[in-house]
Each structure stands twice: as structure tokens, then as C-alpha cells.
Amino acid sequence: MSPFQTLNLPNGQTIGNRIAKAAMEENLANTDQVPDQALLRLYQAWAEGEAGLLLTGNVMIDRRAMTGPGGVALEDERHLDRFRQWASVGRAGGAHFWVQLNHPGRQTMANLGQQALAPSAVALDLGQFSKMFAEPKPMTEDDIQEVIRRFAASAALAEKAGFTGVQIHAAHGYLISQFLSPLTNRRTDQWGGALENRARLLLSVVEAVRQAVSPQFCVSVKLNSADFQRGGFDADDARQVIQWLNEQAIDLLELSGGSYEAPAMQGEARDGRTLAREAYFLEMAGELASVARMPVMVTGGIRRLAIVEQVLDSGIAMAGIGTALAVEPHLVKHWREGRDSHPQLPPIRWKRKPLAALASMAVVKFQLHRLSRGRKTRPRVSALLALIIDQLYIAKRTRQYRRAMSAQ
Ligand SMILES: Cc1cc2nc3c(=O)[nH]c(=O)nc-3n(C[C@H](O)[C@H](O)[C@H](O)COP(=O)(O)O)c2cc1C
């Protein structure tokens, strides 16, 4: 199938082509945690690049619970004008522009100085790096209800600001994904135990979000096809959750995989097995897509037009692209013009996997930050240099965040 065919969504909206810019956390908000020039410039580059759908990076539903410093939070109307500008820049080329809403749960850095909330008191296990993450506190019933309300409120604000949809992040080991996994959810109440209970938070959030927005506004879910951890959320669980999601008004389901402990979304499972080189979730996703009644999108490792076509031919409705669009933001336009582009970053083969994972994120962020300053990308930057720059930047943003939070 041609990637340049339109896609009709269940709510009647149409996406101009079958390629999406996947969510990539930018850490480029200002000190009020709202978008400013840097984010506008970055999204202008993507808006010109002609992907049918742009997803923001993680946007927090609660400024006290951040996936990283410098992230965007959307929790009230105070800075709605900034979000209006952001929405308008992203939509200028005709793309759909959706806000990815997220809560990190236990995947939050200890030095941000906030109490991490999670389904249970199970801290991240990243070996010698574990101490970098906050010790989580099990959520009370009130905490859970507040999270549901916040997802709905942020979605309503996104619609008010002019975005065309939201994506609820239920993958990659963040809060909703922690509820889904029996490894991190040890609760014995209605939110834990059987899969039906572990999926209750996701389904409640989807329902609350749907009620808070209009029917034309798109609602998407990003779900792990598996956590890639023994005893964790697996493909059978994903199949069942998709069947429950079939009963809700979801316009697009994005399938991904992994978590901070097992970063499969970077093409690497925890057991060291490297997933098939391109479109590495395709096999699992193809099988899960046959259960899904809504259109399915697969993200991970895609950087060539031929692979996009292969993904679409396998019955998947959309191909999500992150890294390749960070390197070449106009990639989709270039493909449409007939150029044979396949941007790639050099592999990082460091022995210490958590450090290699951090470095590979840092190299991508290096590109995003260059684009945000109106510069050309530099894919061949040294991974070590990008990592050092990223760590210094994160340290600075962490100090700013702590200062801003203690002044409130
Ligand atoms: C720098 C960076 C930041 C990311 N931030 C997010 C995020 O905020 N939300 C999300 O769902 N995925 C995030 N991801 C994962 C991507 O959406 C995508 O699933 C992953 O990079 C694999 O796709 P790719 O091979 O096309 O990059 C991030 C990836 C990178 C490299």
C-alpha cells in the first residue's frame, strides 16, 4: 500500500498519509514547563516535513510527576496561549497534531525531589543505576482517582488549545504500564491482581478522557505489545487488553514495547537479544493488529520507505518514526519527492547497557536540540560527547525545576 494514502479514523477524521512522527521527549519547555520558541522551531521543522500525524513528546498531566526535567506539563489554563501557538505551528502543514499525555509513576529521577507514586512500592532495578530513581509510594484510592481526573482535564485542555487529539501513554513502563504489569503491580484491591483489575486504570483513563472531549477529537493509546521481562505484561495480556479497548472509542492504537528496565523500544531486549533490525515490533504487532478493531500503528526501527510499505502491507494502518525523523525532519517530504533517504545513527556498542541506552537517547536529543535552535542535525556526533552534553543539560534543568517547585 502507498504510504501516501489517507487514513480514515473511527471518529470520522482523516489523516493525510500513513506516516507519523512518533513521540520523543524534547526536554525543551521553559521554566514554567510550557512550550516556547525552542519547541515551536522544532515542530515547525516537522510540520514542514509532511508526516500525516505529529505526536508531541511526553506531556505531563501533573508538574510534580515528571519523566524528566525540562518537560512540558499541561494541567491548567494558565499558559494556554503558549499551547495554542504550539498547536498552530504543528498543524500549519496540514498534519494532525496530538498531545501525548503521561505520568511517569516510579520512572522518575530521585534528584527531582518529588515523591514518586506507583501501584506498589517496587523500585526500579537498574543495577548500580537504581539509586538514581525515586523510591515509589503505593497510590491510595484518592491518588488513583486524581490521576484519572488529571488525564481527562489535560485532554480537554489540549482540545481547547487546538490540538486534534491526544495519545494516552500506557507503554514503556510508565504509570499506566506499571499498573498493567504483575511485576510492578502487587496490589490486592480492584486495581491489582487479575489482568481485568490491572487494566482498570487504563480503561478508566480512556473512558474519562473520551467523556472530557468532543467526538471529533482523536483519542489514541500507546500500549506495549510486551514488556520483554519474564513474568511481565506479555503478548497474551496485550491481546486481551486490546479486546477491551475495542469496546471503547479509540481512534488509533500504537504498539510499542519495553521499559527503562528492558529498553526494547530501542531495539534491545533485556536478555541482550537484538530484535530484528528494522520495524522490530512488526511480527508481534501484526498478530495483535488482527485482534484490534481500531487502526494500529507500529513504531520502532523504521527508516526506509520500503520498510514503511512492508509495514502497511502487513495490515498495519500507520508507521511511526522517531529517530529517523530526528535526523531528517523532512524525511516524509523527501520520500514523496522520490528521494531514497534512509537516515541512520551509528550504533553504540558499549558494554554497559544502561549507559549505552542513555547515550543513544542523548544522540537523538542532540539532534532535537539542534533543530530547536534552527540548526542542521549532526548525526555523526560522538556518543560520548552527546551523553556529556545531555547530562550537563539535565543537571541544569533539574536545578531549575527544583528551584521553581520550591518557590510555589
Ligand atoms: C530521545 C527519545 C525520546 C523519546 N521519548 C518518548 C516519549 O516521550 N514518549 C514515547 O512514547 N516514546 C518516546 N520515545 C520512543 C519513540 O517514540 C520510539 O518508540 C522509539 O524511539 C523507537 O522508534 P524509532 O526507532 O523510530 O526511534 C523516545 C525515543 C527517543 C529516542
Side-chain angles (χ1 to χ4, degrees), residues 65-108:
M66 303 294 295
T67 53
V72 178
L74 178 54
E75 43 178 11
D76 53 42
E77 299 216 356
R78 257 183 303 169
H79 302 284
L80 208 61
D81 277 353
R82 298 297 194 111
F83 287 90
R84 282 203 178 94
Q85 279 179 308
W86 195 19
S88 134
V89 164
R91 293 181 62 190
H96 263 264
F97 192 16
W98 298 355
V99 175
Q100 186 186 59
L101 296 175
N102 196 11
H103 186 299
R106 67 177 192 155
Q107 289 188 161
T108 187

Side-chain angles (χ1 to χ4, degrees), residues 141-401:
E141 180 68 28
D142 283 352
D143 294 331
I144 294 173
Q145 295 302 335
E146 184 181 343
V147 160
I148 297 168
R149 269 197 309 276
R150 279 178 174 273
F151 267 101
S154 299
L157 288 165
E159 181 171 25
K160 202 164 181 186
F163 291 89
T164 53
V166 287
Q167 181 177 68
I168 298 161
H169 200 332
H172 299 174
Y174 293 114
L175 183 70
I176 298 180
S177 160
Q178 286 156 38
F179 268 85
L180 287 169
S181 165
L183 295 176
T184 42
N185 183 346
R186 309 266 172 86
R187 299 177 76 94
T188 52
D189 58 6
Q190 59 159 339
W191 305 100
L195 181 60
E196 192 184 354
N197 288 348
R198 283 182 276 124
R200 196 180 303 281
L201 179 63
L202 169 61
L203 298 173
S204 305
V205 166
V206 170
E207 236 173 78
V209 164
R210 241 311 151 217
Q211 277 170 18
V213 298
S214 63
Q216 316 79 270
F217 191 70
C218 305
V219 176
S220 161
V221 169
K222 184 163 184 168
L223 184 72
N224 273 357
S225 49
D227 288 352
F228 295 92
Q229 282 186 293
R230 196 164 300 162
F233 183 82
D234 62 18
D236 288 337
D237 295 333
R239 194 172 304 113
Q240 178 59 66
V241 170
I242 292 169
Q243 274 160 358
W244 288 324
L245 289 173
N246 280 341
E247 305 304 318
Q248 309 248 3
I250 301 287
D251 299 297
L252 186 74
L253 175 71
E254 181 180 352
L255 289 173
S256 188
S259 65
Y260 285 11
E261 286 181 341
M265 60 285 200
Q266 295 180 358
E268 191 87 29
R270 185 170 217 190
D271 56 10
R273 187 166 50 98
T274 302
L275 302 164
R277 194 151 292 170
E278 286 195 49
Y280 42 73
F281 293 127
L282 187 55
E283 207 172 302
M284 284 176 102
E287 204 226 316
L288 292 173
S290 64
V291 178
R293 273 196 232 128
M294 69 292 275
V296 170
M297 161 169 152
V298 176
T299 305
I302 302 169
R303 60 190 163 78
R304 282 187 295 156
L305 186 60
I307 302 294
V308 173
E309 285 163 353
Q310 188 188 321
V311 166
L312 300 175
D313 286 342
S314 76
I316 302 290
M318 281 203 87
I321 301 183
T323 304
L325 276 168
V327 175
E328 195 175 326
H330 293 177
L331 181 61
V332 180
K333 180 170 185 276
H334 292 164
W335 281 344
R336 196 183 47 74
E337 291 167 349
R339 283 200 232 174
D340 177 29
S341 239
H342 41 88
Q344 191 177 9
L345 292 172
I348 299 170
R349 297 211 170 84
W350 300 354
K351 282 214 181 75
R352 290 162 82 180
K353 292 287 173 205
L355 219 52
L358 271 182
S360 89
M361 296 288 279
V363 171
V364 180
K365 285 198 179 168
F366 183 87
Q367 316 305 327
L368 303 186
H369 289 210
R370 281 185 70 85
L371 292 170
S372 77
R373 295 195 300 271
R375 302 247 180 95
K376 284 214 170 77
T377 58
R378 183 137 60 88
R380 303 212 67 84
V381 61
S382 131
L384 183 60
L385 178 66
L387 181 60
I388 292 168
I389 292 173
D390 191 46
Q391 289 300 305
L392 291 173
Y393 179 75
I394 286 176
K396 181 179 96 184
R397 300 297 322 235
T398 301
R399 284 193 300 276
Q400 286 174 340
Y401 174 79

Side-chain angles (χ1 to χ4, degrees), residues 101-123:
L101 296 175
N102 196 11
H103 186 299
R106 67 177 192 155
Q107 289 188 161
T108 187
M109 307 295 285
N111 60 9
L112 289 174
Q114 300 290 329
Q115 174 63 63
L117 296 178
S120 308
V122 182

